[in-house]
């Protein structure tokens, strides 16, 4: 483990694996740098790239200096990239994809950007998140109702049926979710109003001029596929790709070759 120091003094923990051009992975909700699927993806891509995984602010071994702002997370990613000392490629997962896109729009140096299923809600194909979603999360965390915050996120943002959430509460994964519940308002702020059911804002990422690949899973819910496709169409340098048979919980062995192809590396072996 190594640490980069963000602009506000927060220490951001990161790991490196592999050799070659630098590639930074930006996790989504509940993801930490030691996530098992991140580890598999890093190993596969490490055949061609120096892969960096990091704990976003408030997670794992990274700090969490208050007050939170999306700009601080942009600076965190910039600090990690600055440690690598050369051209960098970036891949973001889910809400981490939106964070990476924000970083590119704010001029954080990167050569290419790949995004897997940014969870945009851009039409009426599913209910939008509540208008006071962020406030509800803030209140739950302020009152130390971490389980309620996780339940809200799963039911309102991910659309997990309530009966399934009940089953998850007694599973081993719930303790991991609850431990990271305080970061759910962070992800909600990263998403902004992009889960409101309205079309993506035409000007929000107008400054992004690097090649961007938006990837969707062919077996994912239609709203997730629509969001990735809409983003690719919005960006002047945007490309879109569908990975057949994949869902939001994408198989690293399927994702890695697609990323390697886009970023110009050889196909990793599964």
């Amino acid at each position: 483990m190594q640490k980069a120091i963000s602009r506000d003094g927060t220490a951001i923990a990161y790991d490196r694996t592999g050799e070659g051009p630098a590639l930074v992975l930006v996790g989504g909700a509940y993801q930490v740098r030691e996530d098992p699927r991140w580890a598999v993806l890093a190993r596969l891509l490490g055949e061609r790239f120096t892969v960096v995984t990091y704990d976003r602010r408030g997670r794992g071994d990274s700090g969490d200096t208050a007050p939170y702002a999306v700009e601080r997370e942009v600076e965190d990613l910039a600090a990690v990239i600055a440690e690598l000392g050369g051209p960098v490629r970036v891949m973001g997962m889910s809400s981490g994809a939106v964070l990476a896109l924000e970083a590119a729009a704010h001029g954080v140096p990167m050569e290419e950007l790949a995004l897997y299923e940014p969870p945009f809600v851009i039409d009426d194909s599913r209910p939008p998140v509540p208008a006071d979603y962020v406030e509800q999360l803030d209140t739950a965390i302020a009152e130390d109702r971490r389980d309620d915050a996780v339940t809200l996120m799963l039911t309102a943002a991910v659309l997990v049926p309530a009966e399934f959430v009940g089953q998850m509460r007694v599973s081993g994964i719930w303790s991991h979710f609850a431990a990271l519940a305080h970061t759910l308002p962070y992800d909600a702020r990263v998403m902004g109003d992009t889960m409101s059911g309205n079309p993506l804002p035409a000007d929000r990422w107008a400054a992004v001029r690097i090649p961007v690949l938006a990837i969707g899973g062919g077996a994912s819910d239609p709203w997730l596929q629509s969001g990735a496709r809409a983003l690719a169409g919005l960006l002047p340098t945007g490309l879109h790709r569908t990975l057949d048979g994949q869902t939001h919980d994408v198989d690293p062995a399927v994702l890695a070759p697609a990323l390697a192809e886009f970023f110009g590396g050889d196909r990793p072996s599964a």
Side-chain angles (χ1 to χ4, degrees):
M1 182 184 71
Q2 298 172 272
K3 290 192 175 181
I5 304 303
S6 194
R7 185 175 181 178
D8 70 348
T10 303
I12 304 299
Y14 69 95
D15 293 328
R16 301 189 198 203
T17 187
E19 295 183 3
L23 169 58
V24 179
L25 306 183
V26 185
Y30 305 120
Q31 280 189 295
V32 293
R33 75 182 198 284
E34 295 179 342
D35 180 285
R37 290 202 169 218
W38 256 176
V40 174
L41 184 62
R43 177 179 59 80
L44 293 172
L45 291 169
E47 298 176 15
R48 186 64 180 173
F49 303 96
T50 297
V51 184
V52 174
T53 55
Y54 75 100
D55 286 331
R56 285 176 52 190
R57 179 171 294 237
R59 310 181 190 196
D61 293 304
S62 288
D64 193 18
T65 306
Y68 177 83
V70 176
E71 290 78 10
R72 302 294 82 74
E73 284 222 71
V74 168
E75 291 165 1
D76 297 345
L77 178 53
V80 172
I81 287 175
E83 292 283 307
L84 304 178
V88 172
R89 297 156 176 84
V90 176
M91 179 266 170
M93 175 70 70
S94 193
S95 60
V98 184
L99 174 58
L101 188 60
E102 285 292 307
H106 281 79
V108 174
M110 56 185 82
E111 288 199 337
E112 296 167 310
L113 176 60
L115 309 172
Y116 190 82
E117 292 195 340
F120 298 134
V121 181
I122 59 170
D123 53 34
D124 61 0
S125 62
R126 56 150 282 180
V129 297
D132 62 346
Y133 177 62
V134 175
E135 290 77 9
Q136 288 190 54
L137 288 173
D138 284 342
T139 299
I141 297 304
E143 296 175 354
D144 199 27
R145 294 185 288 109
R146 303 176 77 86
D147 288 349
D148 290 346
V150 174
T151 298
L152 173 64
M153 182 269 186
L154 292 175
T155 54
V158 188
L159 299 186
V160 176
E163 60 270 23
F164 291 168
V165 173
Q167 296 171 16
M168 294 170 71
R169 277 179 174 263
V170 295
S171 70
I173 193 63
W174 193 264
S175 61
H176 173 72
F177 287 171
L180 293 171
H182 61 284
T183 65
L184 295 177
Y186 303 173
D187 285 295
R189 286 177 167 83
V190 168
M191 295 305 301
D193 61 357
T194 62
M195 301 187 77
S196 63
N198 297 314
L200 293 176
D203 58 347
R204 180 167 169 177
W205 305 293
V208 177
R209 297 295 174 179
I210 60 173
V212 177
L213 175 66
I215 308 172
S220 287
D221 291 337
W223 66 272
L224 283 166
Q225 298 185 49
S226 296
R229 191 174 296 109
L231 178 64
L234 183 68
L235 300 174
T237 56
L239 302 170
H240 178 263
R241 179 168 180 175
T242 298
L243 298 184
D244 292 340
Q246 295 304 299
T247 65
H248 202 58
D249 190 19
V250 63
D251 184 346
V254 176
L255 180 58
L259 294 175
E261 180 180 344
F262 174 66
F263 289 134
D266 295 331
R267 181 185 177 92
S269 58

